[in-house]
Amino acid sequence: MSTGYWITNVRLESGYRKENDKVVATQTEAAHLLIEDGKIAQIEFGAQAPETDLPKQDAAGLLALPSFRDMHIHIDKTYYGGPWKAVTPIKTILDRLAEEATLMTKLLPTAQERAEKMLGLLLSAGTTHVRSHCNIDPYIGLKNLEATLAAIETFRGKLSCEIVAFPQQGLLRSNQVENIREALKMGATYVGGVDPATVDQNIEKSLATVFELAVEADAPIDLHLHDPDHLGIFTFKRLAKMTEEAGWKGRVTISHANSLADISLGEAAEVAEMLAEQGISITSTVPVIKPTIPIPLLHEKGVSVSLGDDSITDHWSPFGQGDSLEKAGRLAERFRMQDERSLSQALGFITGHKTPLDKEGNRQWPNVGDEADIVFLHAASAGEAVARRSKRQAVMFKGKVVHGSL
């Protein structure tokens, strides 16, 4: 006997409507989803709901989209949920790092509480997968990691989370190699690092140490790389070479990759091809206060690009909404993705490149067997959802509604 249930009267995208060979709208149709064991077990189309003795939940015509991913955020250090505080002006990244010498210990007593509030914010916006960077530094050691793990445990069954053991003060500069090693044993899943040139001031040794830790723990890598211009590009090239030598293809992410915005598109295309060859992915916040890296070009060259919030109202930035759909909308605005098809494809940058329709208009989501990780929205299409940052009615994770209601 089935223990599943039906979600009836869902709207699913079925194709693009064209006029004079140009996409002008997205077509949708009514559908009904059988959910079993956290997966989509059956899809029935048509206005009439299936005759069944199983329980039903009526989606009342809401649009279903794959749930979102925030692939770069720091839930362990935020003012969110506490008193408001704006940012103190600085001149260099080292000034900001110096600020953390006293700030991290002050924030520690409420780190778990604030992390939980951050996760709740992300979930409410439709995010069910999070990659959080967690400070491992001389001031709080592994205590922020303990708080982060506890916060994630509170949300068990509601979302999934990866943790990057992040030596914010520099892996070498702050002598955190042993703490990173211990963090990976405690539950961190990625080896982190930051600016081997500017912060660690030794590109070769810094990157080599990151790979040593990763290989030892059989863990992927996610590096903050803010360094500009050709200093950053040189670091990319050394990273790609070490990725090849370590056999770590497909297991390395560059966060920010700011230098790609400082070079010509021709140079960026060459670097993109190098990164794609080694399966090195990039996560961007789509910044507006500085040039944005050429995300469409990277995507076209085969680099997997995802989006993240990074800071949300903390000592690095007073901004941030915790809304991945807002990030996708900003991406679309920044690169003039204004037509129906381009807007809908922008959704892929926050879903792991799962979109209801491919570029040709063929349905590619959902399929029988997919995880039932779904956002139900008040929107006519993915394009409208991205452009208008449409209201989310309910969020589902592994077949259970974990926020809102149907």
Side-chain angles (χ1 to χ4, degrees):
M1 178 179 294
S2 175
T3 57
Y5 71 99
W6 285 90
I7 303 175
T8 60
N9 301 315
V10 177
R11 300 300 299 182
L12 296 179
E13 296 190 353
S14 58
Y16 296 127
R17 182 168 65 82
K18 296 182 179 181
E19 292 180 3
N20 299 321
D21 294 327
K22 293 184 178 180
V23 172
V24 296
T26 297
Q27 298 172 318
T28 63
E29 57 185 313
H32 317 280
L33 309 178
L34 175 62
I35 308 298
E36 288 183 337
D37 299 322
K39 297 181 182 294
I40 299 172
Q42 189 174 335
I43 305 174
E44 296 289 338
F45 293 95
Q48 186 65 40
E51 294 292 334
T52 177
D53 294 329
L54 294 175
K56 297 178 183 178
Q57 290 191 34
D58 189 352
L62 291 167
L63 180 71
L65 296 177
S67 62
F68 310 147
R69 310 186 312 162
D70 191 311
M71 297 302 285
H72 185 114
I73 197 165
H74 297 258
I75 67 170
D76 68 313
K77 52 180 185 182
T78 175
Y79 299 146
Y80 184 73
W84 159 257
K85 186 177 180 180
V87 165
T88 302
I90 61 163
K91 292 183 178 180
T92 71
I93 187 175
L94 297 181
D95 294 333
R96 188 67 75 205
L97 297 185
E99 183 182 22
E100 291 197 0
T102 56
L103 181 61
M104 296 311 297
T105 54
K106 290 180 180 178
L107 292 175
L108 184 58
T110 57
Q112 179 181 340
E113 176 185 356
R114 288 180 285 101
E116 289 173 350
K117 289 182 177 179
M118 184 87 82
L119 289 173
L121 175 67
L122 298 174
L123 186 64
S124 70
T127 292
T128 63
H129 182 76
V130 176
R131 183 182 296 175
S132 179
H133 296 252
C134 181
N135 260 44
I136 310 295
D137 65 41
Y139 315 116
I140 43 85
L142 298 165
K143 293 179 181 178
N144 264 28
L145 177 59
E146 294 171 358
T148 297
L149 289 168
I152 292 169
E153 182 63 27
T154 302
F155 280 78
R156 179 184 290 274
K158 294 184 177 181
L159 51 74
S160 56
C161 193
E162 300 168 320
I163 303 175
V164 182
F166 177 49
Q168 174 70 86
Q169 298 288 327
L171 181 62
L172 305 181
R173 177 176 176 269
S174 63
N175 192 29
Q176 290 303 295
V177 174
E178 289 305 316
N179 270 344
I180 296 296
R181 181 174 282 119
E182 185 61 27
L184 293 165
K185 295 176 182 177
M186 289 174 58
T189 50
Y190 277 69
V191 178
V194 57
D195 295 333
T198 301
V199 177
D200 271 343
Q201 299 187 357
N202 190 328
I203 294 174
E204 292 297 313
K205 186 176 181 180
S206 181
L207 290 178
T209 305
V210 165
F211 276 97
E212 288 171 10
L213 288 165
V215 171
E216 177 184 298
D218 192 22
I221 294 167
D222 192 326
L223 298 176
H224 284 60
L225 294 181
H226 311 93
D227 285 333
D229 301 305
H230 289 90
L231 176 60
I233 298 304
F234 176 79
T235 305
F236 291 178
K237 291 178 179 178
R238 294 302 301 138
L239 178 64
K241 182 62 175 177
M242 291 187 187
T243 299
E244 181 180 18
E245 292 171 347
W248 239 238
K249 183 176 182 178
R251 304 186 73 185
V252 176
T253 300
I254 299 173
S255 287
H256 303 303
N258 292 351
S259 59
L260 285 170
D262 301 328
I263 59 178
S264 70
L265 287 179
E267 290 177 293
E270 293 178 4
V271 174
E273 291 171 358
M274 174 190 69
L275 297 177
E277 184 176 352
Q278 292 304 319
I280 296 175
S281 60
I282 289 177
T283 300
S284 175
T285 61
V286 196
V288 295
I289 61 172
K290 63 182 71 172
T292 307
I293 64 175
I295 293 174
L297 171 66
L298 293 165
H299 180 62
E300 290 168 8
K301 291 294 184 179
V303 178
S304 177
V305 181
S306 58
L307 307 183
D309 273 288
D310 196 11
S311 300
I312 294 182
T313 184
D314 64 6
H315 59 292
W316 292 84
S317 170
F319 307 112
Q321 300 180 33
D323 187 346
S324 292
L325 197 56
E326 166 63 29
K327 287 291 179 181
R330 182 190 293 183
L331 171 69
E333 288 188 70
R334 171 63 183 81
F335 292 102
R336 298 184 63 80
M337 300 166 138
Q338 299 179 342
D339 62 281
E340 183 79 16
R341 176 161 46 194
S342 296
L343 285 165
S344 68
Q345 293 303 300
L347 184 75
F349 292 99
I350 61 169
T351 63
H353 297 286
K354 290 186 292 185
T355 54
L357 304 175
D358 62 20
K359 288 184 177 181
E360 286 68 43
N362 302 306
R363 179 185 287 117
Q364 58 182 5
W365 182 94
N367 296 298
V368 171
D370 285 347
E371 295 282 353
D373 300 340
I374 305 171
V375 182
F376 298 90
L377 307 93
H378 296 269
S381 67
E384 182 187 5
V386 170
R388 304 298 303 160
R389 287 71 153 172
S390 298
K391 177 183 176 182
R392 276 126 279 183
Q393 177 67 32
V395 182
M396 175 174 286
F397 179 65
K398 297 189 182 304
K400 295 181 179 180
V401 174
V402 292
H403 184 83
S405 60
L406 293 174

